[in-house]
């Protein structure tokens, strides 16, 4: 059901002790704000109004980039959550009967939970998302009597008896748009904090006979707020644990679910094994039977079936073919495309290069802007010199070429099929197919040469 969505994000986030506005801190690779905007977007067409204040320029820029079309209402100064919603009033779409209110610092709210709340409101009732906590300290309490919900009382304003209540307001509600507008404009700040409390609209609804209903949050995790680095880290671990469990449910074998970080989306085939301390960022796809060794960082990559990525490998923007072996200590940079059964060994860097089936660079090498044919063997310590200080050039290596150790291939240059390049060569001209090309000083031995001796004093 389409609705207005108001996201409150004007607060300072003092306890983060950071120059960065709180809602721009990241959880699982995305800002808190992006998580909330994504939940709002999943609800379907509607209008989203973001309340900004502290760090408004940066927050608005981030929101526009993540969700074009977001409207902004600035709240200066910040006089409370009711005052925040007052700023959104002129921007609400009156044709949308329901307005959903989300908190910018409650990032893991599930779209299904928010949708259920919007449904419960139905443009007629005031629907509150609540949860019962073992320790409700600091939260607004849900005060009920025989007729149902009567009010929300903020912790600081609560009587000792009310402080015993463990059902709390999560900060998320759905209200009839027209009533919400009238109610927030009528709020007073006659409370302990001298703030305009949005939560006071509950008593207003009760007084007018508007039904107040509650829906409960699916889990504590989806309504936990982030106020401090400790809470941010706690929520990150809960989120990562949930992702690890989902992967394991799907059959992925994780050496330790507590030592996995997915900051984006990780898609796995069957019989995938992931060792400890791996970080996956962006969109990563691991095909059937892939094995990832310990301490790998893999971002925006596709790893083919049966490929093995050994420990301490860094992969970004690359494709790895089936049954390839990569690492340990390898680096695949953007545009590295490895075919089937390619071997990339320790301290080998590959950038913007294609390696055809069975090509190998096993030790200490650099391949940049190169096309490497099938079964090529690229020797230890050899590099493509692809950059002349101004422009980049390509190196083309035909099938079955054997490049010895410590060669420099000065691009642009082409090595014909089956060519052999002698170790230590600096190749500045094309090398013909099938021949041995050597480009280094000839070895000489001087008979009768004597080593210098220390002169006696
Ligand atoms: C609020 C609720 C409380 C609830 C709790 C859940 C009120 C009065 N109280 O309390 O019942 O249990 O959330 O976490 O609403 N904000 C603004 N402008 C302001 C003040 C706040 O935009 O002037 C934003 C903050 O950036 C934050 C959100 O509103 O995203 C909540 O504000 P916060 O001060 O954390 O509310 P609580 O006191 O925790
Ligand atoms: Ca507060």
């Amino acid at each position: 059901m389409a609705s207005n969505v108001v996201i409150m994000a004007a607060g300072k986030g003092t306890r983060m002790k950071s120059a960065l506005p709180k809602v721009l801190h990241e959880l699982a690779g995305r800002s808190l704000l992006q998580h909330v905007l994504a939940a709002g977007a999943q609800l379907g067409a509607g209008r989203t109004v973001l309340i900004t204040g502290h760090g408004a320029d940066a927050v608005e820029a981030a929101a526009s980039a993540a969700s074009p079309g977001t409207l902004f209402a600035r709240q200066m100064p910040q006089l409370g959550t009711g005052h925040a919603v007052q700023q959104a009033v002129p921007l609400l779409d009156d044709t949308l009967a329901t307005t959903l209110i989300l908190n910018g610092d409650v990032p893991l709210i599930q779209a299904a939970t928010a949708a259920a709340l919007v449904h419960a409101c139905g443009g007629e009732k005031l629907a509150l998302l609540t949860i019962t906590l073992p320790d409700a300290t600091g939260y607004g309490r849900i005060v009920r009597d025989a007729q149902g919900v009567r009010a929300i009382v903020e912790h600081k304003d609560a009587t000792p008896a009310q402080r015993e209540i463990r059902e709390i307001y999560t900060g998320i509600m759905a209200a009839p748009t027209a009533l919400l507008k009238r109610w927030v404009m009528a709020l007073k700040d006659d409370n302990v904090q001298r703030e305009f409390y949005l939560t006071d609209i509950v008593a207003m609804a009760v007084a007018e006979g508007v039904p107040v209903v509650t829906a409960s949050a699916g889990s504590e995790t989806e309504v936990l707020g982030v106020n401090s680095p400790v809470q941010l880290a706690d929520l990150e671990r809960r989120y990562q644990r949930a992702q690890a469990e989902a992967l394991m449910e799907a059959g992925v074998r994780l050496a330790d679910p507590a030592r996995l970080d997915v900051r984006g989306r990780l898609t796995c085939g069957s019989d995938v094994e992931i060792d400890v301390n791996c970080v996956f960022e962006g969109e990563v796809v691991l095909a059937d039977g892939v094995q990832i060794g310990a301490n790998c960082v893999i971002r925006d990559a596709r790893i083919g079936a049966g490929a093995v990525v050994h420990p301490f490998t860094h992969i970004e923007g690359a494709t790895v073919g089936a049954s390839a072996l990569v690492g340990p200590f390898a680096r695949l940079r953007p545009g590295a495309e490895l075919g089937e059964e390619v071997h990339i060994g320790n301290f080998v860097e590959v950038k913007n290069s294609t390696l055809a089936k069975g090509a190998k660079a096993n030790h200490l090498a650099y391949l940049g802007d190169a096309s490497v044919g099938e079964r090529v063997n690229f020797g230890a310590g050899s590099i493509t010199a692809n950059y002349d200080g101004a422009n980049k050039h390509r190196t083309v290596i035909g099938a079955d070429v054997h490049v010895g150790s410590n060669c420099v291939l000065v691009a642009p240059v082409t090595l014909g099929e089956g060519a052999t390049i002698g170790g230590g060569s600096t190749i500045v001209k094309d090398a013909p197919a099938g021949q041995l090309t050597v480009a280094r000083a000839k070895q000489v031995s001087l008979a009768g040469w004597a080593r210098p001796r220390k002169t006696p004093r």
Side-chain angles (χ1 to χ4, degrees), residues 137-269:
T137 307
Y139 288 101
R141 307 299 208 281
I142 305 293
V143 179
R144 292 175 185 268
D145 69 8
Q147 277 94 59
V149 176
R150 307 313 291 172
I152 297 176
V153 178
E154 291 305 304
H155 180 93
K156 286 184 180 150
D157 301 286
T159 64
Q162 287 169 334
R163 288 191 181 176
E164 296 298 311
I165 299 171
R166 291 189 300 117
E167 186 189 8
I168 62 102
Y169 171 55
T170 59
I172 294 168
M173 66 165 73
T177 303
L179 294 175
L180 177 72
K181 287 172 113 173
R182 181 159 58 74
W183 289 335
V184 293
M185 297 319 291
L187 287 170
K188 298 204 169 58
D189 64 352
D190 50 358
N191 52 56
V192 172
Q193 304 191 79
R194 303 230 65 88
E195 283 183 8
F196 294 92
Y197 290 165
L198 176 63
T199 44
D200 284 349
I201 71 169
V202 175
M204 292 178 176
V206 171
E208 292 181 20
V210 174
V212 179
V213 296
T214 59
S216 42
S219 73
E220 199 181 288
T221 303
E222 68 171 312
V223 294
L224 280 177
V226 172
N227 296 297
S228 65
V230 170
Q231 288 176 341
L232 179 60
D234 172 49
L235 214 52
E236 175 84 38
R237 288 338 304 164
R238 287 171 182 249
Y239 182 84
Q240 294 300 344
R241 179 80 202 188
Q243 296 199 98
E245 275 169 15
L247 288 166
M248 292 187 295
E249 292 290 334
V252 177
R253 294 193 289 279
L254 300 177
D256 182 355
R259 283 182 286 169
L260 170 80
D261 284 87
V262 180
R263 301 173 189 155
R265 187 160 46 195
L266 174 62
T267 308
C268 295

